């Protein structure tokens, strides 16, 4: 998913990229890898926003912030909080 997102916009396969984010998130959740799941939610949110799905993207970013705060990942939570406030 991340590799697809880093491609120039005109070369991306948005459907595949978003499916990869969803699959990866499900795997991280199933493994109990909460920090990875939180970071992936953040990246997924950015990808959704980049594809024009702003509402869904903002929702993922807010969910990521809740998880980052709950896990005590302060630096990343503060950066995301500032981004959401902008």
């Amino acid at each position: 998913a991340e590799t697809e997102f880093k491609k120039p916009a005109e070369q991306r396969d948005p459907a595949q990229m978003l499916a990869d984010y969803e699959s990866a998130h499900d795997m991280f959740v199933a493994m109990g890898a909460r920090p990875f799941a939180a970071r992936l939610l953040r990246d997924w949110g950015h990808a959704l926003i980049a594809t024009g799905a702003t509402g869904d993207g903002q929702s993922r970013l807010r969910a990521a912030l809740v998880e980052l705060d709950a896990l005590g990942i302060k630096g990343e939570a503060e950066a995301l909080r500032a981004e959401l406030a902008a």
Side-chain angles (χ1 to χ4, degrees), residues 9-83:
E10 64 277 359
Q11 294 178 7
R12 291 182 197 148
D13 179 347
Q16 183 62 55
M17 175 181 65
L18 297 175
D20 288 348
Y21 275 114
E22 184 172 8
S23 177
H25 182 260
D26 291 347
M27 286 189 283
F28 285 142
V29 168
M31 290 187 290
R34 288 178 62 202
F36 293 100
R39 291 178 178 117
L40 188 122
L41 274 174
R42 178 193 57 207
D43 295 346
W44 191 3
H46 289 141
L48 283 162
I49 291 167
T51 63
T54 304
D56 287 341
Q58 291 289 326
S59 177
R60 295 287 188 307
L61 292 177
R62 287 189 298 275
L65 179 58
V66 168
E67 278 297 297
L68 291 168
D69 275 336
L71 293 165
I73 304 174
K74 294 178 184 178
E76 291 176 51
E78 288 304 317
L80 186 52
R81 188 174 285 106
E83 178 184 336

